């Protein structure tokens, strides 16, 4: 079964506590938090006070996806705010190896993300250092976008690379995940599925998570 990481990006933040309680009661494995700075991506989401509030009541690990420039400046602050998994974009990290190392030194699981256009060869020399590779299946910045189908092949290729390198890194996929493509993603090799719209636009998010989990 895949791990399911619901993204709260497009939920009603006046009811954030209720949303987290729903996720606590659900089969969700992680809670996916999208941090956007208006520079790396053309959108701004939320920051430390919101993560801290979620951390106080969440009973699932916080999977924090940084879509920010210069993430190195804030690694410690994200740890203090409650991040369990911290994922940085390869495109935003000129010294990726150092950044991944720093995340692990702080006691978090370390992930690297690739945008849809970024080639897998960027990861060649870091496959044995990361706990997680996140492949974007939309261009980051917004929830509710259409899945880029080329991602399926990219997952298969990444899976082969990980096996060859004897790496135990998980593969996570983020963007446009639906009931329809979840099984294909799983079969291609995805271990963790992020989903926003499919879960929170559904009348029963707990049921939606269950359906994704069984894919
Ligand atoms: C996009 C974010 C995603 C997004 C997923 O930049 O990284 O996590 O919230 O939302 P859906 O599942 O609606 O594409
Ligand atoms: Zn995300």
């Amino acid at each position: 079964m895949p791990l399911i990481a619901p993204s709260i990006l497009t939920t009603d933040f006046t009811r954030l506590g209720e949303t987290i309680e729903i996720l606590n009661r659900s089969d969700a494995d992680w809670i996916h938090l999208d941090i956007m700075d208006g520079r790396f991506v053309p959108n701004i989401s939320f920051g430390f006070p919101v993560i801290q509030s979620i951390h106080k009541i969440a009973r699932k690990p916080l999977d924090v996806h940084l879509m920010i420039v210069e993430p190195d400046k804030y690694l410690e602050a994200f740890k203090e705010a409650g991040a369990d998994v911290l994922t940085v974009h390869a495109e935003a990290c000129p010294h990726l190896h150092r950044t991944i190392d720093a995340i692990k030194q702080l006691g978090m699981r370390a992930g690297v993300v690739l945008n849809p256009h970024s080639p897998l060869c960027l990861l060649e020399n870091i496959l044995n250092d990361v706990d997680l590779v996140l492949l974007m299946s939309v261009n980051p910045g917004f929830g509710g976008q259409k899945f880029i189908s080329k991602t399926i092949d990219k997952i298969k290729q990444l899976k082969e690379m990980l096996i060859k390198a004897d790496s135990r890194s998980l593969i996570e996929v983020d963007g446009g995940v639906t009931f329809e493509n979840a099984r294909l993603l799983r079969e291609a090799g995805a271990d963790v599925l992020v989903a926003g719209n499919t879960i929170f636009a559904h009348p029963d998010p707990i049921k939606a998570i269950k359906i994704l989990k069984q894919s």
Side-chain angles (χ1 to χ4, degrees):
M1 274 191 198
L3 301 181
I4 306 299
S7 159
I8 61 153
L9 182 64
T10 57
T11 60
D12 177 356
F13 285 176
T14 64
R15 300 170 62 183
L16 187 55
E18 288 166 54
T19 302
I20 302 303
E21 292 301 349
I22 289 172
L23 296 180
N24 281 342
R25 290 202 309 275
S26 76
D27 290 339
D29 297 279
W30 297 349
I31 299 178
H32 185 85
L33 303 181
D34 288 301
I35 310 303
M36 305 179 181
D37 65 352
R39 294 185 63 207
F40 183 72
V41 286
N43 196 5
I44 297 178
S45 57
F46 53 83
F48 301 116
V50 176
I51 303 173
Q52 282 158 4
S53 302
I54 292 172
H55 179 59
K56 275 188 205 149
I57 57 168
R59 296 201 303 271
K60 316 262 176 171
L62 301 185
D63 172 33
V64 179
H65 173 192
L66 298 186
M67 285 160 274
I68 65 175
V69 298
E70 302 182 57
D72 304 82
K73 287 185 181 170
Y74 306 101
L75 302 179
E76 206 170 337
F78 281 108
K79 168 68 185 174
E80 274 165 22
D84 296 286
V85 184
L86 196 64
T87 304
V88 292
H89 271 261
E91 302 87 355
C93 296
H95 308 287
L96 183 58
H97 187 271
R98 180 185 291 153
T99 308
I100 292 296
D101 202 46
I103 294 172
K104 292 196 296 191
Q105 290 291 332
L106 287 163
M108 295 177 282
R109 277 187 273 178
V112 59
V113 201
L114 288 185
N115 276 331
H117 78 280
S118 294
L120 289 171
C121 61
L122 283 177
L123 304 178
E124 226 169 74
N125 297 325
I126 199 112
L127 289 179
N128 297 98
D129 301 295
V130 292
D131 298 301
L132 178 94
V133 176
L134 170 52
L135 295 182
M136 288 308 300
S137 39
V138 299
N139 286 294
F142 304 93
Q145 302 183 80
K146 191 174 171 296
F147 180 78
I148 297 171
S149 55
K150 248 188 120 182
T151 315
I152 303 271
D153 281 337
K154 210 171 173 182
I155 298 168
K156 289 182 188 161
Q157 281 168 32
L158 173 60
K159 184 80 191 171
E160 277 175 28
M161 283 169 69
L162 291 173
I163 291 170
K164 220 181 238 170
D166 208 15
S167 163
R168 290 165 59 190
S169 167
L170 297 175
I171 301 178
E172 184 174 28
V173 184
D174 185 6
V177 172
T178 62
F179 298 143
E180 289 71 34
N181 61 26
R183 179 173 291 266
L184 284 174
L185 293 166
R186 184 71 188 129
E187 284 169 358
D191 304 292
V192 189
L193 304 178
V194 176
N197 200 50
T198 294
I199 292 170
F200 292 106
H202 194 279
D204 183 350
I206 290 189
K207 192 170 164 199
I209 292 167
K210 216 172 223 116
I211 298 171
L212 284 173
K213 186 98 191 152
Q214 281 158 2
S215 57

